[in-house]
Amino acid sequence: MNVQLLRINDDKTNRIVVSKNLYQTFRFNNQQSMYVRFGDKKEHCSIKIDPTLKKDTILLPENMLSDICIPPMNPYECMFKKDDTLLIGPVIGIMGCRKRRNISEKLRIYLKSRLKNYLEIKGLVFIFAEEDVDRVKKVINGFFYNSKIQNWEAGVFPLPGAVIVGKISMSSKMYRFFINEIGENVFYHKHLSKWYQWKVISTHSTLSKHLPYTEKLNSGEDLLEMINRFNLVYLKPNKSYQGRGIVMIEKKERHYMIKNTSGYSVTVEDGDDLLKHVKTELNEKYLIQEAVGFRHNDHLIDFRVYLQKNRNKEWESPGIMARIGKKGSIITNFKHRIDFVPSHNVFAKYYGLNNNRIQKLQTEMIMICKRIAELMEMSGNHLGDLAFDMSVDKELTIWMLEFQGGYGSELREKNMPIRMYKQMMLTPLEYAKTLAGF
């Protein structure tokens, strides 16, 4: 039921005032008191019926509002739970950064694009920095979305019913705090390393077939053995992202070619010279991975599959984009590509596939991602908003390279369909609303 919240003036008692219509709608069983919950703030209140109130209005006591902001201009939903609790909300927090100083005007303007369907979400939606969480008082300083002026305003808020964490990661200490206070309603809170992903997925008999062979890089002997086995390999930092630190090594007939993401390339004659050039990478912080994928005229082509939990807590994909790397580039990240287009176009143009085959291939890619997401959640990771980097080779074998979280906050790039971007931005809030109890 939709309601409007107002403050009781000069009333120091824990009492809520409701209309007769609302009292009858929720069938409060003629009780004289109940719990009222807003986010994580819960108060035991007596009930007063006021027949003069509009049917959708609830008056909240001053005691409940003394240390937190409950914006009266926003619309809310409420429901009466079996434990005699009136739940009002939803209350959703978006952790935008670690440091307060990084909640810039630019970030606030950008995050408004998440709220184009606010009238479907309703409630209190606020952004905050991790350092603005008061774990003693259990309140958060931040900026709430004022639906009347369609902009952010500063305030102090209760712990939310659900927390969205974007590309930035939440500290383990803060994550444990939220889990203890609001339960398993925090998603995505940390970057899962490439090695962790590979270890979990490689245990699955079917999904492991979609992983390029990967090992920790412990020694020069490991590197030479892998190169002799596959001829083309990548060295990848275990915990970096956005392509930083990646090196490609290719074995030719009598020499080795080494290439990095900056375009630097060198050819060496033997294994000893090779190890000298990559000696800084010879530690467990690096992985060595079989090179898989597809090139067209020396342009590397791979794919980004987006996957998100919807309002029904089900995985769905807003779409797949193809990334076409610059000529000779070993990666396809933003600075290293010439185009970013819907995958259907690339499968038709560069793979020569018809519409029916493209549809089947893309369905299979999405299904693999869903099964990986489910497997990772079974391993104790609460996910909800993911982007998978995938390759499809010339035999149409699908390879999963890695995934990252928080991609519903990705900026819309050239040629990304507006419908797809809108769904990416809005779906995480719909999922958070469900987690918050609505």
Side-chain angles (χ1 to χ4, degrees):
M1 179 177 182
N2 296 334
V3 297
Q4 181 183 11
L5 304 179
L6 297 174
R7 182 188 298 261
I8 300 176
N9 293 324
D10 301 323
D11 192 328
K12 302 300 182 182
T13 62
N14 266 19
R15 177 178 64 178
I16 66 167
V17 182
V18 301
S19 67
K20 183 177 181 180
N21 174 271
L22 189 145
Y23 188 89
Q24 293 174 340
T25 298
F26 284 113
R27 299 174 182 174
F28 289 145
N29 302 322
N30 296 319
Q31 59 197 85
Q32 302 301 310
S33 65
M34 62 182 171
Y35 287 99
V36 178
R37 184 166 186 166
F38 186 78
D40 197 50
K41 188 174 182 63
K42 189 174 183 179
E43 298 284 348
H44 191 261
C45 299
S46 61
I47 308 171
K48 177 182 178 181
I49 301 173
D50 185 344
T52 67
L53 278 182
K54 293 180 180 180
K55 64 179 182 180
D56 61 349
T57 301
I58 296 176
L59 303 185
L60 295 178
E62 186 74 26
N63 282 356
M64 192 168 186
L65 302 168
S66 59
D67 58 348
I68 61 170
C69 172
I70 302 181
M73 73 290 294
N74 287 356
Y76 295 88
E77 293 183 14
C78 67
M79 56 182 65
F80 191 56
K81 299 289 188 177
K82 292 181 179 179
D83 61 351
D84 292 339
T85 298
L86 182 67
L87 182 63
I88 302 173
V91 182
I92 300 170
I94 303 173
M95 191 181 121
C97 52
R98 291 279 189 102
K99 300 293 184 181
R100 181 184 309 115
R101 64 175 181 270
N102 293 329
I103 301 185
S104 61
E105 182 65 20
K106 181 179 179 181
L107 176 64
R108 280 175 271 174
I109 291 173
Y110 167 65
L111 285 176
K112 278 201 297 184
S113 59
R114 276 198 180 279
L115 293 159
K116 292 187 182 296
N117 67 337
Y118 171 78
L119 291 180
E120 296 179 24
I121 300 297
K122 305 184 185 71
L124 172 63
V125 179
F126 64 92
I127 56 177
F128 67 96
E130 179 172 318
E131 71 176 9
D132 280 329
V133 179
D134 189 326
R135 289 181 289 165
V136 177
K137 295 181 179 179
K138 297 182 181 179
V139 295
I140 303 175
N141 284 279
F143 298 87
F144 77 92
Y145 182 73
N146 182 326
S147 63
K148 294 297 183 183
I149 64 174
Q150 298 184 1
N151 210 343
W152 303 99
E153 287 189 10
V156 180
F157 314 106
L159 300 183
V163 176
I164 300 172
V165 183
K167 286 184 181 180
I168 42 86
S169 60
M170 177 181 285
S171 69
S172 297
K173 181 185 293 186
M174 187 59 67
Y175 180 69
R176 289 192 297 270
F177 168 75
F178 274 114
I179 291 298
N180 289 335
E181 296 298 329
I182 69 173
E184 301 285 340
N185 290 347
V186 182
F187 72 99
Y188 174 89
H189 86 283
K190 64 180 179 180
H191 298 293
L192 303 177
S193 73
K194 297 177 181 66
W195 181 244
Y196 175 81
Q197 293 179 32
W198 194 87
K199 280 200 306 180
V200 173
I201 302 169
S202 64
T203 62
H204 192 282
S205 59
T206 302
L207 295 175
S208 61
K209 298 175 183 178
H210 299 283
L211 293 178
Y213 185 76
T214 304
E215 287 186 0
K216 277 190 174 182
L217 185 54
N218 295 313
S219 67
E221 288 74 19
D222 292 341
L223 175 58
L224 293 174
E225 182 180 340
M226 285 278 284
I227 293 174
N228 289 329
R229 178 178 177 184
F230 296 109
N231 292 322
L232 186 63
V233 298
Y234 277 94
L235 301 185
K236 296 183 175 182
N238 184 27
K239 294 186 178 180
S240 75
Y241 52 99
Q242 297 181 343
R244 288 193 289 265
I246 291 178
V247 177
M248 185 187 79
I249 303 174
E250 183 176 8
K251 182 182 179 183
K252 302 289 188 178
E253 289 184 2
R254 295 185 178 180
H255 59 268
Y256 301 90
M257 185 185 74
I258 307 167
K259 197 170 188 178
N260 65 18
T261 56
S262 300
Y264 171 78
S265 178
V266 63
T267 298
V268 297
E269 295 300 321
D270 55 38
D272 290 337
D273 285 340
L274 169 64
L275 297 181
K276 290 177 183 178
H277 276 82
V278 298
K279 61 182 178 181
T280 58
E281 287 83 18
L282 294 177
N283 60 71
E284 289 191 359
K285 294 181 179 178
Y286 264 77
L287 306 178
I288 181 167
Q289 187 173 81
E290 167 195 8
V292 295
F294 181 89
R295 281 187 179 270
H296 177 80
N297 292 336
D298 204 22
H299 291 278
L300 182 63
I301 297 176
D302 60 21
F303 302 89
R304 174 150 284 178
V305 181
Y306 296 98
L307 199 68
Q308 297 175 311
K309 285 274 188 75
N310 61 22
R311 186 169 293 176
N312 299 318
K313 297 185 177 182
E314 298 171 344
W315 288 108
E316 63 179 29
S317 175
I320 306 174
M321 297 295 290
R323 307 184 296 187
I324 304 175
K326 294 179 180 178
K327 193 175 184 67
S329 176
I330 66 172
I331 60 175
T332 61
N333 295 71
F334 184 76
K335 294 180 181 179
H336 303 274
R337 60 175 173 249
I338 61 171
D339 216 344
F340 188 66
V341 296
S343 57
H344 187 283
N345 303 6
V346 167
F347 282 131
K349 183 176 180 179
Y350 298 111
Y351 288 73
L353 305 181
N354 61 35
N355 288 340
N356 184 54
R357 187 66 186 91
I358 293 172
Q359 184 60 44
K360 289 182 178 179
L361 184 60
Q362 292 186 143
T363 299
E364 186 179 0
M365 292 170 73
I366 292 170
M367 184 56 62
I368 289 169
C369 293
K370 287 182 178 180
R371 294 177 69 186
I372 289 174
E374 291 166 356
L375 178 64
M376 298 305 294
E377 288 202 310
M378 287 173 60
S379 300
N381 306 286
H382 186 180
L383 310 174
D385 181 20
L386 300 172
F388 290 79
D389 290 341
M390 308 190 83
S391 287
V392 179
D393 63 27
K394 60 184 180 181
E395 283 81 28
L396 303 186
T397 302
I398 299 169
W399 300 96
M400 201 293 289
L401 305 178
E402 65 176 300
F403 66 83
Q404 297 177 21
Y407 270 79
S409 61
E410 188 168 53
L411 291 172
R412 178 173 176 256
E413 293 191 49
K414 178 184 177 183
N415 297 328
M416 177 181 280
I418 294 176
R419 173 206 58 78
M420 178 178 171
Y421 179 70
K422 181 179 179 181
Q423 184 177 346
M424 284 173 56
M425 291 300 291
L426 303 184
T427 300
L429 270 176
E430 294 175 355
Y431 177 51
K433 179 177 182 178
T434 298
L435 290 178
F438 294 87

